[in-house]
Amino acid sequence: MPLPKDPKVLVGLDTSDDAGVYQLNDEVALVQTVDFFTPIVDDPFTFGQVAVANALSDVYAMGGTPLTGMNLVAFPIKTLSPSILKEILLGGLSKMVEAGVALVGGHSIEDPEIKYGLAVTGVIHPKKILTNAKAKVGDKLVLTKPLGTGIIATALKGGVASEEAVRKIVESMVTLNRTASEWMKKFGAHACTDITGFSFIGHALEMATASQVGMTIQTEAVPVFPEAMEYAKLGLIPGGAYSNRDFFSCRVDLHSNVPDLLVDILYDPQTSGGLLISLPPNEAKELVATLKEEGLVHSCIVGEVVEEPPGKIRLL
Ligand code: CO
Ligand code: CO
Ligand code: CO
């Protein structure tokens, strides 16, 4: 789109970043983002929690503080009980309360398919914005949540996911990225993004491209839900994973030792995934240790930022 230049737009559409940032004055900029989707779990309260944790994540990925939220609701009010809608909204509200975010409004429409999400407004210091564009050669890459939520959600839809697998992804998806965001700022992160629909590889590539660097990923180190490997073996792979692979694989150099099932998981679209953080090696180690103490036990260094080739990823 032919967007007019506006010096107050500090982060706009050009770098595929997580949220938009608009400067108000020397001290304060607005951070804005919106996300909504169809249910990926059966329990309405849990779905509300996941949707809000997911929507807030783009603010946390940039190092911002979310302040207000507005509900986006599509619901078949003539065919489904309003009590289901109430549970979804209560689930969402519970996450807003946990995040210290005030619900200030929203909008609903009648729709044959349920959809829920949140428009979020937050603040950030204009000089402390973490985008995906400043990863530096020599940085380590930290990932804060395991991968495989898309595959396990697909297995759930197919009626084959174990209760344990669903419990694990729900626990992960409802976890706010707030703690990870606060600590990455303290440890001087250079760049960050959150892992969502474009998969680990897609979002890592966005960072590599925006930062004009390459990345090497130690695939064995990448945290993965074990059940996701199991279900991937059964072919329970969401369509989005194939689109991601089609779209991104031309910029991925794949070492022959990497198991194909693991590659499927690296292309798996995530819901409310973790943060991918680029920061210097010592700080990366300390960040991982701190996040584990804080309960983000799957946090781990998964690779490093290299000079060549820019905009590409090597999977080892
Ligand atoms: Co994002
Ligand atoms: Co988003
Ligand atoms: Co209105």
Side-chain angles (χ1 to χ4, degrees):
M1 277 181 285
L3 297 174
K5 278 270 167 249
D6 183 339
K8 291 201 180 77
V9 176
L10 303 182
V11 181
L13 285 171
D14 41 347
T15 56
S16 322
D17 236 304
D18 294 299
V21 182
Y22 186 90
Q23 183 155 10
L24 294 180
N25 56 46
D26 289 348
E27 303 288 314
V28 186
L30 281 181
V31 190
Q32 293 179 291
T33 183
V34 57
D35 251 306
F36 69 114
F37 45 68
T38 55
I40 66 155
V41 288
D42 295 330
D43 178 57
F45 187 88
T46 306
F47 168 54
Q49 291 188 308
V50 171
V52 166
N54 181 73
L56 294 175
S57 176
D58 281 330
V59 177
Y60 292 132
M62 303 195 84
T65 305
L67 296 178
T68 60
M70 302 187 97
N71 282 330
L72 298 163
V73 179
F75 194 81
I77 198 74
K78 292 202 179 93
T79 52
L80 278 183
S81 160
S83 65
I84 294 173
L85 177 56
K86 187 177 171 189
E87 283 298 304
I88 294 172
L89 298 178
L90 284 174
L93 180 63
S94 75
K95 279 291 144 183
M96 285 181 245
V97 169
E98 181 186 335
V101 167
L103 176 63
V104 294
H107 188 76
S108 57
I109 58 164
E110 197 184 337
D111 190 306
E113 193 170 27
I114 298 176
K115 298 171 192 82
Y116 174 60
L118 202 66
V120 188
T121 302
V123 287
I124 193 166
H125 192 287
K127 297 234 152 59
K128 293 179 185 160
I129 303 163
L130 268 169
T131 66
N132 60 14
K134 289 202 174 132
K136 290 195 175 58
V137 174
D139 279 358
K140 295 287 185 191
L141 296 164
V142 172
L143 179 64
T144 65
K145 290 184 187 179
L147 303 176
T149 58
I151 289 168
I152 294 175
T154 303
L156 175 64
K157 274 194 193 120
V160 297
S162 70
E163 265 176 42
E164 177 65 6
V166 174
R167 193 194 57 73
K168 281 184 197 163
I169 60 162
V170 163
E171 188 190 5
S172 177
M173 291 188 297
V174 302
T175 299
L176 296 176
N177 280 329
R178 178 176 55 180
T179 305
S181 175
E182 281 167 3
W183 282 107
M184 78 169 170
K185 287 190 275 182
K186 288 184 188 148
F187 283 108
H190 291 149
C192 179
T193 191
D194 60 337
I195 307 300
T196 51
F198 293 136
S199 76
F200 174 83
I201 286 184
H203 291 284
L205 271 173
E206 283 178 345
M207 189 186 278
T209 305
S211 302
Q212 296 176 292
V213 295
M215 287 178 182
T216 303
I217 304 299
Q218 309 292 335
T219 53
E220 273 173 19
V222 176
V224 167
F225 294 106
E227 291 88 346
M229 290 292 265
E230 217 176 283
Y231 303 144
K233 207 180 283 176
L234 300 173
L236 294 161
I237 293 170
Y242 294 107
S243 335
N244 285 336
R245 193 190 270 242
D246 284 348
F247 193 72
F248 296 116
S249 62
C250 58
R251 290 188 275 154
V252 176
D253 176 17
L254 177 61
H255 194 276
S256 57
N257 288 353
V258 183
D260 205 44
L261 287 177
L262 188 53
V263 178
D264 286 333
I265 289 172
L266 295 172
Y267 284 113
D268 182 38
Q270 303 299 288
T271 300
S272 194
L275 298 183
L276 180 67
I277 305 161
S278 183
L279 74 176
N282 282 335
E283 283 77 359
K285 261 185 232 156
E286 287 177 53
L287 175 63
V288 167
T290 308
L291 293 182
K292 283 183 194 264
E293 271 171 36
E294 291 275 4
L296 298 166
V297 296
H298 301 282
S299 301
C300 167
I301 293 175
V302 297
E304 61 191 336
V305 177
V306 295
E307 206 166 339
E308 295 287 335
K312 291 201 171 165
I313 290 181
R314 186 176 305 140
L315 299 180
L316 295 181

